[in-house]
Amino acid sequence: MKNNFKTVNHSVRKIDGLGLATGEELFTDDYDIRDCAVIKLMPSPYAYAEITDIDESEALKMEGVIDVLSYKNVERIMHTTAGQSYPEPAPYDCAIFDNTVRFVGDKVLAVIAEDEKTALKAIKKIKVKYNILEPALDYEKSEDRETSRVHTEKDAIQIIPIKFQPEKNIASEVNAVVGDVEKGYKESDEVMEDTFYTQYAHHCMMEPSSTKGYIDGRGRLVLITSTQVPFHTRRIVSHATKIPVSKIRVIKPRIGGGFGNKQEALLEPIVAFAVWKHRIPIKLILKRDEVFVFSRTRHPFRIKYKVGFNKNGEIKAIHLDALQNTGAFGTHALTVVSCVGSKILPLLNKIPNMLFTGKAVYTNLPAGGAYRGYGATQGYFAYTQMIDVICEKCGIDQAEYYKKWHIKTGETSEIFKALGEGKPGHIFKIDSCELTQCIDKGAEAIDWKSKKAKYSFKNKKNKNERYIKGIGMGCFMQGSSVPYIDMASVYIKMNDDGSFNLNLGATDLGTGSDTVLSQIAAEVLETSINNILVISSDTDVTPFDVGAYASSTTYLSGLAVKDCAEKIKKIIKKHAAKKLAVKEEDIDLFEGNAFIKGSKDSCSYGEICTSAMHIDEMEQIQATSSRVSKSSPPPFSAHFAEIVIDTLTGNIKVEKYVTATDCGVCINPKLAEGQVEGALVNGLSYALIEDYSFSKKGNMMNNGFGKYKIYTAADLPEIITIMAENSYENTGPYGAKSVAEVCINGPIPVIANAFYNATGKRLHKAPFKPEYILEILGE
Amino acid sequence: MIEKEFEFYKAEGYTDVFNYMKKNYLPFAGGTDVMIKVKEGYLRTSGLLYIGDMLELKGIEKKDNSIFIGAAEKLTDIIKNTIVKENFPGLIQAIELIGSLQIRNQATLGGNLANCSPVSDSMPILMALDAKIHIVSENNRKIIELKDFPKGVCQTALETGEIIEKLEIPIINSKNYQAYRKFAQRPEVSIQKCSTAVVFEYENDEITIKKAKIAIGAVAVRALRCEKAEQMLKGQKLSPELIEKVANMVSEESKPISDIRSTREYRQKMVGEGFREIALKSV
């Protein structure tokens, strides 16, 4: 396939790149609003307690203290902070302020003061009395009768059926069945099962959670906020505060990273309530220690598999069971659990019998939320090692196994239908899959077969070597948007000089989506990207878009942009035809000009728009478009890692990591590679060093970068990034699928498989810290 | 207007230093620890006294078979210094592992010692090098052995009104081997889980150990010298059996705790491994 793209598939510069580098682009806290008051939250010192009394009188006497907000003076309206489409598949289990605190660091109350120092001093003067309750800290025991129930309030509800059962500490439950697994086990030569654990982690986005609000000249509330979901935020804020939607404007400035953390209306309801009440500008910006516990995290999981397979490696039946610790609130609980099944089980789509059981349980620990990978990352730890075990037992090469069994173009998976988000899913066919190509290219780049044989523990000549090498591989998929739930819309208008305003609901959180979507518009409109002027994510100015999540922006918002630009193109042709006195079909558009086909007679876009607006038709050339996704084409990726294990210190060093990824056509190859490598580094860090450590009372002990380490550029292995060629997704804009998430799924299982190759031992608990590795090596 | 968080004074000489310290000003040179502690409220002070540009606290020089390093010398400058490089490669190795390049450009060796964290990267190797600290106060000067300097977590032998002027490290005239091994969550910008510093001084045959000095970090409230392990090496030649025995002794002499960075068991094992690794590299 040869594509003759002019702007798409080229690595044009990120349109905000220079401004970000020079500091001229603005983040939330950069907006200078005069006399902006400050909110500080009082964190709960207990994992679980009922607040019996708050005495704020001393604080209110202090100069500079404006107000103290708590359950005593803020109306209790149950809602979820999960930034998802309405009706949200998450329990309404929180209020802006509650008389119960459910984890160490949960908000007890908020002090509004003229400055931060005063607010902090005021917090110290407030006396809070608690009735301390026994916390639920072990999620495997959450359902036990002896364990405290985290949500005993009567007004917590589900708004759609998600099996919310607070009386059992269950936030949500989901099952999916294809065929009959019991029958499948009986038909199998061997049945085996195993259990794996993944840990808490944080997104560690550079910009902390930040929200600023003020009242504009017409009495409306303006929120400038670091969000991935401006439209959902407007809706949730309105619900939680009773401020009408018509009175709220949400503006998303530049965002310093989100990775899912900001798919949440977490600070906005607090700020909105405070600003609306006091009619003054107020901001709330979390400190890093608060960000770790109070903002959302990656849900820890226990994943079990039970698999029946034949001697030739054919899987007859699989049961994947996922138990999620959702923490104190059920935000994204159901959907993250669902993705353990929906983003994994379709990969080897020929398994006739499949059972997926998922459950999210409450604990008195920090709440989970959306995080790049969204459950798939946790589930692949078990699944990819399972495939490795089957291959090892059956004597089949892993790469060949995946090539034989992976889902192919034109095929589908029953799981697409069986697992949706709070409702049944939708069946669709795979339109593009170059996973076989990815496997072959990746294997070649790392010299898979010969290294696997050479490093295998089975032929280690000298068992006393201190450093031993291993190699592992695995294949992964994700999705691109949520079918029939995600929607994106766009508005384009043309200006006198032939430039275009592109108003997007879509949310660029540093990913480069403003750039990528401009490229799509420029491609359709036969103009330079410099003539596309982007405004994104301002609820007053741009049409609706669900926001940046579920790897949907390039795919879905891209479709809306393409559709809208095509409408504009048609109008331009109509005007040009009139001006040049030919039929519309005789017009060609090229580099900002309209030509009569086969001739040099032309007029420029500027001339066309000028005459349309001022001279002839007297109309604005404009169009709008809105698209819903009808499928969720998976991006695919094959990963290979070569590791060195120091058997004396337990240190695992990844020497080389190869990814080969099929994301369809890369709209911007450099930005796509950036997403692949960013996700990889994110995953390596999660696999090897990141974890939350809690005290016995549920207090996070390492909530700062001094103690919670993440990988830096200096810690990286040699990375080889391969993008598949000739992949074209017909349902996507210019052949594109998603790319942001899929590669975070690789490092945990691929390193674990490499560890097996080197030692013959399996890893069951991430992260693979030296202490854990020594323990396993000693067994 | 920016509100003043604390009083600040830049000292030009000792007179300034002692006057302001009487007013409870806290002296600092690089500020990479002090500033954070003050800003986060762990250290309370009425004012800060900058001593980082004082000539009395600067300079690296060789005198009387010792090398003197001024307390306010920046870590980066020490790493680049040729006399230090020639004589104390182990010290360079350790300093290069402190913080990040940006921190090393700012932080000073005197500050690292005065901060006296049990996880200091300079302390173990300097102890193994038998370093001494020159302390000065308004009416007195004294020299104390570095191994007697730490008194607990961030507690030193410094008394009120005293500051560190310089560090003295005796030059080892015989053939010797020095090394520092740090165990951490990641190689760069990471606080140690534990560490081992070793200095071997050889006899004229250049094999027999005349004197061995071993210090370990982060395995107690302060860095320690492993005297029993040192004794085992005296007058010996390294053999695999001896290395094994000494490594076990180093582990035994450590008294680590479990905390968020690592476990007691792991630390205890690693300080021994650190010795083994260094000993094997030395031969």
Side-chain angles (χ1 to χ4, degrees):
Chain A
M1 222 179 303
K2 258 262 179 274
N3 297 313
N4 293 311
F5 296 125
K6 288 171 191 149
T7 307
V8 155
N9 201 224
H10 288 71
S11 295
V12 304
R13 279 199 185 166
K14 214 160 164 276
I15 58 173
D16 53 352
L18 190 61
L20 288 169
T22 56
E24 284 155 299
E25 291 274 5
L26 301 181
F27 297 91
T28 299
D29 203 18
D30 295 330
Y31 283 79
D32 223 346
I33 300 168
R34 263 181 72 182
D35 300 327
C36 192
V38 171
I39 293 179
K40 281 306 243 180
L41 301 174
M42 178 195 276
S44 166
Y46 304 111
Y48 197 15
E50 199 186 321
I51 305 167
T52 53
D53 188 38
I54 296 174
D55 177 4
E56 62 275 80
S57 54
E58 288 302 310
L60 288 171
K61 280 181 207 156
M62 286 172 63
E63 203 189 312
V65 173
I66 297 161
D67 200 357
V68 175
L69 301 177
S70 70
Y71 73 95
K72 287 164 66 181
N73 56 2
V74 177
E75 190 187 345
R76 178 182 177 92
I77 298 166
M78 298 308 283
H79 64 280
T80 176
T81 57
Q84 297 178 300
S85 290
Y86 182 82
E88 302 94 338
Y92 281 20
D93 58 4
C94 75
I96 299 182
F97 291 100
D98 204 337
N99 60 347
T100 303
V101 282
R102 294 188 173 80
F103 62 94
V104 178
D106 196 359
K107 56 188 182 307
V108 176
L109 50 81
V111 170
I112 312 170
E114 280 168 10
D115 59 78
E116 192 179 303
K117 256 194 173 163
T118 310
L120 287 170
K121 273 187 202 155
I123 282 188
K124 287 191 182 142
K125 295 206 169 168
I126 300 173
K127 294 180 199 90
V128 182
K129 282 188 188 150
Y130 298 94
N131 172 26
I132 302 164
L133 304 167
E134 183 65 33
L137 297 175
D138 180 350
Y139 70 98
E140 289 191 277
K141 292 183 184 150
S142 273
E143 289 173 82
D144 291 359
R145 202 169 292 193
E146 311 76 71
T147 305
S148 293
R149 295 309 181 231
V150 178
H151 286 275
T152 53
E153 69 276 27
K154 295 276 183 304
D155 50 356
I157 50 161
Q158 58 179 4
I159 59 160
I160 52 168
I162 53 166
K163 296 191 178 165
F164 172 56
Q165 303 151 72
E167 67 285 0
K168 293 185 190 163
N169 263 345
I170 296 172
S172 197
E173 226 181 320
V174 58
N175 295 324
V177 187
V178 172
D180 177 353
V181 286
E182 291 306 326
K183 187 171 141 264
Y185 293 143
K186 278 182 202 136
E187 292 165 7
S188 304
D189 294 335
E190 190 175 344
V191 176
M192 58 174 196
E193 33 193 324
D194 211 345
T195 306
F196 299 84
Y197 294 89
T198 62
Q199 77 279 29
Y200 265 109
H202 201 268
H203 315 68
C204 299
M205 65 286 178
M206 272 200 283
E207 184 203 20
S209 320
S210 314
T211 302
K212 234 172 213 178
Y214 62 92
I215 301 290
D216 75 4
R218 294 176 191 172
R220 296 172 72 229
L221 168 70
V222 181
L223 291 172
I224 297 171
T225 185
S226 183
T227 181
Q228 295 178 221
V229 284
F231 287 89
H232 294 333
T233 293
R234 183 179 64 176
R235 190 190 77 244
I236 294 167
V237 164
S238 172
H239 167 78
T241 60
K242 291 191 173 168
I243 304 168
V245 166
S246 64
K247 296 287 185 193
I248 306 169
R249 176 180 181 184
V250 176
I251 298 171
K252 177 216 70 95
R254 301 327 288 172
I255 301 296
F259 311 102
N261 186 279
K262 295 167 181 173
Q263 193 195 338
E264 203 83 5
L266 187 70
L267 306 185
E268 291 89 346
I270 306 169
V271 175
F273 184 92
V275 173
W276 197 248
K277 180 175 175 188
H278 290 280
R279 317 299 286 181
I280 55 165
I282 302 177
K283 67 175 178 179
L284 171 50
I285 292 167
L286 297 186
K287 297 276 180 209
R288 187 59 64 177
D289 57 339
E290 297 174 295
V291 171
F292 271 106
V293 288
F294 184 66
S295 83
R296 301 312 183 212
T297 65
R298 186 187 287 287
H299 297 104
F301 266 93
R302 182 192 71 197
I303 312 270
K304 289 181 177 181
Y305 71 70
K306 183 174 178 187
V307 65
F309 58 100
N310 284 344
K311 289 197 177 84
N312 65 358
E314 184 184 1
I315 299 174
K316 302 299 286 183
I318 176 172
H319 175 194
L320 211 52
D321 175 66
L323 179 70
Q324 176 206 72
N325 172 6
T326 191
F329 299 103
T331 50
H332 299 270
L334 169 81
T335 37
V336 168
V337 171
S338 298
C339 283
V340 175
S342 65
K343 302 285 182 267
I344 294 179
L345 289 172
L347 184 64
L348 306 184
N349 64 328
K350 284 140 202 109
I351 304 172
N353 306 296
M354 288 181 278
L355 172 62
F356 175 70
T357 48
K359 201 185 278 175
V361 293
Y362 286 117
T363 56
N364 291 108
L365 289 169
Y371 190 167
R372 185 185 228 168
Y374 209 76
T377 310
Q378 293 95 320
Y380 273 115
F381 182 26
Y383 186 83
T384 310
Q385 285 203 84
M386 177 192 82
I387 303 297
D388 203 62
V389 175
I390 294 173
C391 290
E392 292 290 328
K393 286 199 169 193
C394 301
I396 305 166
D397 179 76
Q398 285 84 343
E400 296 305 322
Y401 186 88
Y402 277 110
K403 274 159 67 179
K404 181 173 177 187
W405 294 105
H406 79 75
I407 194 165
K408 310 277 184 335
T409 305
E411 295 178 358
T412 188
S413 164
E414 296 278 339
I415 288 292
F416 292 144
K417 198 173 179 178
L419 263 179
E421 294 213 334
K423 47 184 179 180
H426 291 271
I427 201 86
F428 62 88
K429 277 189 180 155
I430 296 293
D431 184 71
S432 59
C433 178
E434 289 298 328
L435 184 54
T436 292
Q437 182 199 144
C438 291
I439 295 168
D440 285 338
K441 284 187 173 163
E444 195 192 326
I446 205 160
D447 195 9
W448 160 250
K449 276 187 190 165
S450 69
K451 278 186 185 161
K452 197 189 138 202
K454 190 169 133 200
Y455 297 159
S456 173
F457 68 96
K458 290 169 194 157
N459 61 14
K460 290 264 148 73
K461 281 178 211 143
N462 189 351
K463 298 252 181 205
N464 294 323
E465 289 279 333
R466 170 172 179 180
Y467 295 99
I468 52 176
K469 283 192 171 197
I471 190 168
M473 69 89 62
C475 292
F476 310 93
M477 60 169 267
Q478 199 83 26
S480 310
S481 78
V482 189
Y484 292 97
I485 286 182
D486 288 350
M487 190 271 272
S489 55
V490 172
Y491 169 73
I492 302 178
K493 72 177 166 69
M494 194 171 185
N495 301 316
D496 310 50
D497 63 348
S499 64
F500 301 87
N501 289 108
L502 173 62
N503 292 13
L504 301 161
T507 305
D508 189 330
L509 53 147
T511 47
S513 68
D514 282 352
T515 305
V516 163
L517 297 172
S518 303
Q519 285 179 263
I520 293 172
E523 186 75 34
V524 177
L525 293 166
E526 298 283 347
T527 187
S528 146
I529 191 170
N530 299 326
N531 287 323
I532 308 291
L533 318 167
V534 186
I535 289 184
S536 58
S537 302
D538 177 333
T539 57
D540 266 16
V541 179
T542 64
F544 180 87
D545 188 296
V546 288
Y549 59 89
S551 289
S552 65
T553 305
T554 300
Y555 179 73
L556 178 60
S557 307
L559 281 173
V561 169
K562 186 159 180 270
D563 194 54
C564 188
E566 273 161 2
K567 287 180 186 170
I568 297 276
K569 192 175 179 178
K570 235 179 177 170
I571 305 170
I572 294 173
K573 278 191 174 176
K574 190 181 84 187
H575 286 284
K578 204 165 157 198
K579 217 171 158 52
L580 296 168
V582 291
K583 288 182 192 155
E584 276 173 47
E585 49 273 31
D586 293 330
I587 296 288
D588 258 346
L589 302 183
F590 182 73
E591 289 182 357
N593 292 286
F595 284 87
I596 300 175
K597 272 182 192 165
S599 117
K600 282 185 179 169
D601 288 349
S602 70
C603 53
S604 71
Y605 281 8
E607 287 166 336
I608 292 169
C609 189
T610 301
S611 79
M613 281 204 285
H614 305 286
I615 303 159
D616 293 329
E617 298 83 355
M618 310 295 276
E619 70 168 19
Q620 167 72 61
I621 296 177
Q622 61 181 341
T624 182
S625 175
S626 139
R627 289 291 296 262
V628 61
S629 56
K630 292 175 178 156
S631 93
S632 179
F636 298 96
S637 196
H639 288 203
F640 297 83
E642 204 179 326
I643 66 167
V644 181
I645 304 154
D646 182 339
T647 56
L648 290 186
T649 64
N651 193 52
I652 290 182
K653 186 168 180 255
V654 180
E655 288 223 307
K656 189 172 185 175
Y657 202 108
V658 176
T659 61
T661 305
D662 164 18
C663 63
V665 170
C666 299
I667 302 293
N668 187 317
K670 200 179 268 177
L671 289 178
E673 283 175 28
Q675 287 293 326
V676 167
E677 289 166 11
L680 173 63
V681 175
N682 205 174
L684 284 171
S685 185
Y686 183 49
L688 293 170
I689 58 173
E690 289 182 47
D691 199 359
Y692 274 35
S693 33
F694 293 103
S695 72
K696 279 178 188 153
K697 291 183 170 173
N699 191 5
M700 183 185 183
M701 306 300 285
N702 56 339
N703 55 341
F705 286 135
K707 289 165 182 167
Y708 184 101
K709 294 290 171 187
I710 57 173
Y711 265 21
T712 69
D715 304 307
L716 299 183
E718 180 192 354
I719 292 172
I720 296 176
T721 305
I722 300 165
M723 304 306 278
E725 286 170 15
N726 303 324
S727 177
Y728 196 96
E729 173 64 36
N730 285 296
T731 71
Y734 293 113
K737 298 188 279 190
S738 83
V739 69
E741 295 183 88
V742 64
C743 287
I744 199 172
N745 300 330
I748 295 185
V750 170
I751 292 169
N753 286 346
F755 186 82
Y756 175 81
N757 175 246
T759 65
K761 290 169 195 261
R762 290 276 165 206
L763 297 175
H764 292 86
K765 247 165 51 186
F768 311 143
K769 290 185 183 179
E771 290 83 354
Y772 172 58
I773 297 299
L774 273 196
E775 195 186 308
I776 297 297
L777 289 174
E779 276 170 9
Chain B
M1 200 193 91
I2 297 170
E3 200 193 330
K4 219 199 270 180
E5 287 183 71
F6 30 72
E7 296 296 320
F8 179 88
Y9 189 80
K10 182 180 169 184
E12 301 290 352
Y14 280 137
T15 323
D16 277 348
V17 173
F18 302 122
N19 278 338
Y20 277 88
M21 281 177 74
K22 275 181 206 155
K23 295 182 201 164
N24 285 324
Y25 274 55
L26 182 69
F28 78 99
T32 54
D33 284 311
V34 167
M35 281 301 174
I36 294 164
K37 287 184 175 179
V38 170
K39 289 242 177 193
E40 298 283 323
Y42 300 123
L43 262 182
R44 287 177 170 273
T45 178
S46 53
L48 287 172
L49 181 65
Y50 178 63
I51 55 172
D53 284 342
M54 278 173 52
L55 290 176
E56 295 90 330
L57 307 178
K58 289 273 188 185
I60 299 174
E61 55 171 351
K62 193 171 166 183
K63 219 172 94 187
D64 306 333
N65 207 35
S66 276
I67 285 169
F68 295 86
I69 301 176
E73 279 297 327
K74 306 244 181 243
L75 299 178
T76 301
D77 295 331
I78 299 170
I79 293 168
K80 285 183 191 156
N81 185 284
T82 38
I83 346 176
V84 179
K85 226 181 249 179
E86 275 166 27
N87 289 284
F88 308 119
L91 177 62
I92 304 272
Q93 217 183 351
I95 295 178
E96 280 178 336
L97 291 168
I98 297 178
S100 62
L101 180 62
Q102 292 90 329
I103 287 174
R104 293 191 293 272
N105 284 341
Q106 180 63 22
T108 64
L109 190 55
N112 193 257
L113 297 173
N115 186 52
C116 203
S117 162
V119 294
S120 155
D121 283 311
S122 68
M123 193 76 82
I125 187 73
L126 284 170
M127 271 188 189
L129 288 167
D130 290 330
K132 296 183 186 83
I133 292 191
H134 289 234
I135 293 169
V136 52
S137 60
E138 192 166 18
N139 304 312
N140 196 18
R141 282 177 175 277
K142 62 183 180 190
I143 301 171
I144 66 170
E145 298 278 335
L146 181 64
K147 67 177 168 49
D148 300 326
F149 183 68
K151 295 291 177 198
V153 179
C154 301
Q155 302 291 316
T156 69
L158 281 178
E159 286 169 26
T160 312
E162 291 182 336
I163 62 166
I164 302 174
E165 181 179 59
K166 61 190 167 198
L167 210 77
E168 178 185 349
I169 318 173
I171 292 171
I172 306 166
N173 294 312
S174 56
K175 186 184 176 263
N176 65 84
Y177 186 82
Q178 317 167 3
Y180 177 69
R181 172 69 156 102
K182 170 178 179 176
F183 298 86
Q185 278 169 289
R186 61 177 184 201
E188 301 245 345
V189 206
S190 216
I191 290 170
Q192 56 169 301
K193 293 175 177 179
C194 59
S195 64
T196 311
V198 176
V199 176
F200 293 140
E201 291 179 36
Y202 302 105
E203 297 285 0
N204 290 338
D205 64 0
E206 302 197 340
I207 304 174
T208 309
I209 294 174
K210 182 163 70 184
K211 205 170 170 193
K213 291 171 288 186
I214 305 166
I216 51 181
V219 287
V221 292
R222 46 159 290 178
L224 292 175
R225 280 280 289 264
C226 301
E227 282 162 15
K228 285 184 197 160
E230 290 175 0
Q231 281 304 318
M232 291 168 75
L233 288 160
K234 205 170 179 177
Q236 304 291 316
K237 289 184 183 118
L238 286 179
S239 66
E241 297 74 31
L242 182 62
I243 290 173
E244 190 66 33
K245 263 199 222 158
V246 177
N248 290 339
M249 181 52 79
V250 171
S251 290
E252 212 173 284
E253 282 188 80
S254 69
K255 294 169 194 70
I257 54 158
S258 289
D259 64 9
I260 52 156
R261 271 184 221 103
S262 191
T263 59
R264 188 179 74 84
E265 295 75 21
Y266 187 79
R267 286 184 160 124
Q268 196 157 27
K269 195 152 184 218
M270 283 313 110
V271 286
E273 291 305 338
F275 172 79
R276 187 202 313 269
E277 200 177 301
I278 293 169
L280 286 172
K281 268 187 199 155
S282 75
V283 290

